[in-house]
Amino acid sequence: METFEVFRRSGHKSPFEHCGAVIAGDPEMALLVAKECFLRRREGDHLWVTRRSDIHSFEDESLLEIAADKSYRFAHAYRDVVKKRERARERAGKAGAQ
Amino acid sequence: MSDSLVALVTALADDELVLGHRHSEWTGFAPQIEEDVAFSSIAQDEIGHAAALYGLVASITGDDPDRLGLGRDQNQYRHAVLCERPNRDWAYTLARHWLYDHADAVRLAALTDTADERLGALVNKMRREERYHLIHADTWMQRISQGPMDGRTRLMEAVTETVPEALDLFEPIEAEDDALKQGWLPAPSDVLRARFVDETSGALEDLALPAEVRSHLQATEFVASSSGDLIDEGPSESKSSDDKSSSGGRSGNHTSDFGRLWSDLTHTYRAHPGASW
């Protein structure tokens, strides 16, 4: 027996999302029981199962931490751009008039 | 006129109710939690089909669907004895589930051509769920028949033992001649039984179960298909070849196993007449 992770799609335009896991002997059996465990109440229209052992991840989670200042990757770091641009236009206008 | 339609639909409904009740006895006890949920769900489907079929009977006779399901005496039920047998172990439950759902598939396929539109519509709805039941049963059968010796042996014994009672699912219903004449039932029971035998012996061969498991089926195949041929010459002759089974569950003759099931199934209905939920 193996653990299978179950992914469910709530509508045909939605992405598959993880919704739980089942224990089963093989993928076909996992799908059969997952249907009754996770699609009992019209929660979606499609299911995937995949062996948990087929999912790859990071052994060292600390690699995923953001250590230094990465504020430049966020929109809030650019809030003053509009003002800066206005000032730049002003300066450019004055230079043209001279 | 519609009596034979009522008899036909009642037999179908009683099979689904009684087997659904047996299936539901696994709730909390199935081999795995996932299977517990899946099998309980199948039980709910079967009982749902029974409720819909009783609804159809009620609309014809003016009766109450709850009374049909829960308010009749034991000898008024028309299910096959197979459905009332206790669950015993998972091997027996699986063998019965597999044989029953294949038999059900055969008769529902035939009933898509019924002359009664309401029954036809209901059958089409039921078949959508029965497709899953069939895949579920087939998948389990494949796994156990290809698995370790212990499970394989227990499954073979269970199938061998269950086959004779499974064949009685095709015991003629009451007033079958009229049901055939009116077109409610598009094919006689023994023709359906021959189809069932043909299909399941092929499936057992595919599962590579030893020949002796199929021997019961194949022994009957000869009788069933020859009586199926007789049907064309006259229905009276086919009846006489069915003497043994014409006294079974379809005529209201049940075993003490049903007595216990019935008292459990109908307990609340009898204790609180007219209650609703």
Side-chain angles (χ1 to χ4, degrees):
Chain A
M1 301 291 269
E2 280 180 274
T3 303
F4 288 83
E5 298 296 342
V6 184
F7 297 82
R8 180 172 62 199
R9 194 178 69 179
S10 60
H12 77 282
K13 283 183 176 165
S14 311
F16 280 81
E17 284 173 305
H18 185 247
C19 62
V22 292
I23 295 172
D26 53 66
E28 200 184 353
M29 207 68 178
L31 277 171
L32 274 185
V33 292
K35 170 189 179 295
E36 292 307 328
C37 290
F38 298 107
L39 279 183
R40 290 172 67 75
R41 301 179 184 89
R42 297 177 207 263
E43 297 93 335
D45 65 358
H46 214 348
L47 277 186
W48 282 344
V49 296
T50 184
R51 286 190 172 86
R52 181 176 284 176
S53 60
D54 282 342
I55 293 178
H56 304 277
S57 191
F58 292 88
E59 277 175 34
D60 180 3
E61 281 174 57
S62 68
L63 269 174
L64 303 175
E65 286 163 19
I66 295 176
D69 174 20
K70 304 286 177 193
S71 59
Y72 54 84
R73 290 181 182 166
F74 295 87
H76 67 73
Y78 302 95
R79 268 182 205 143
D80 58 349
V81 165
V82 176
K83 278 179 187 163
K84 280 181 181 166
R85 194 173 58 203
E86 279 168 7
R87 282 202 296 275
R89 275 203 188 116
E90 257 172 50
R91 284 199 302 275
K94 278 174 191 165
Q98 278 171 0
Chain B
M1 189 195 71
S2 60
D3 286 359
S4 62
L5 177 60
V6 167
L8 168 66
V9 180
T10 302
L12 294 171
D14 290 349
D15 276 357
E16 297 275 293
L17 176 70
V18 173
L19 188 62
H21 184 77
R22 280 299 184 209
H23 283 353
S24 79
E25 290 175 344
W26 275 106
T27 304
F29 302 95
Q32 310 155 246
I33 184 72
E34 289 86 345
E35 181 54 31
D36 198 300
V37 176
F39 205 60
S40 301
S41 189
I42 290 174
Q44 286 179 328
D45 291 347
E46 303 292 31
I47 290 170
H49 296 167
L53 292 162
Y54 289 133
L56 174 55
V57 172
S59 72
I60 299 167
T61 62
D63 209 328
D64 167 32
D66 284 344
R67 195 205 71 82
L68 291 168
L70 304 168
R72 282 176 297 156
D73 289 333
Q74 289 174 39
N75 60 9
Q76 293 176 315
Y77 285 80
R78 292 293 179 266
H79 60 275
V81 165
L82 175 78
C83 303
E84 72 202 31
R85 293 299 189 194
N87 289 328
R88 290 159 56 175
D89 57 5
W90 189 247
Y92 176 77
T93 298
L94 174 58
R96 172 169 61 181
H97 167 40
W98 186 78
L99 288 163
Y100 177 82
D101 277 305
H102 275 273
D104 203 26
V106 167
R107 72 182 170 191
L108 292 180
L111 283 169
T112 56
D113 293 327
T114 180
D116 187 82
E117 274 179 30
R118 295 159 301 180
L119 177 59
L122 206 49
V123 161
N124 282 328
K125 249 189 194 171
M126 286 165 61
R127 287 183 85 205
R128 286 168 55 194
E129 288 187 339
E130 294 296 350
R131 210 167 57 136
Y132 171 77
H133 299 182
L134 215 50
I135 296 172
H136 177 270
D138 284 343
T139 306
W140 264 101
M141 285 288 282
Q142 284 157 7
R143 299 303 178 278
I144 305 292
S145 61
Q146 290 156 18
M149 199 47 94
D150 178 38
R152 194 177 149 83
T153 310
R154 284 161 70 171
L155 182 65
M156 285 184 318
E157 284 167 4
V159 172
T160 310
E161 233 179 292
T162 313
V163 157
E165 286 190 341
L167 292 168
D168 283 345
L169 283 163
F170 296 101
E171 181 189 339
I173 58 153
E174 279 171 311
E176 176 155 326
D177 289 347
D178 189 60
L180 289 166
K181 208 174 83 190
Q182 306 283 346
W184 314 138
L185 182 64
S189 288
D190 42 10
V191 168
L192 297 180
R193 177 165 52 193
R195 278 180 207 164
F196 166 71
V197 166
D198 197 41
E199 197 181 290
T200 43
S201 25
L204 287 172
E205 210 169 333
D206 293 343
L207 291 170
L209 291 177
E212 55 261 37
V213 179
R214 302 193 299 273
S215 62
H216 276 290
L217 270 171
Q218 281 158 346
T220 329
E221 185 169 31
F222 181 70
V223 178
S225 53
S226 65
S227 66
D229 292 334
L230 283 175
I231 268 292
D232 297 327
E233 292 155 30
S236 57
E237 289 199 52
S238 73
K239 231 178 194 173
S240 60
S241 72
D242 249 325
D243 277 350
K244 196 199 113 258
S245 54
S246 64
S247 58
R250 300 280 183 236
S251 329
N253 293 316
H254 299 293
T255 66
S256 57
D257 290 332
F258 184 53
R260 285 185 286 274
L261 186 155
W262 178 88
S263 82
D264 188 18
L265 174 71
T266 61
H267 176 81
T268 307
Y269 185 86
R270 286 180 287 118
H272 305 281
S276 66
W277 63 301

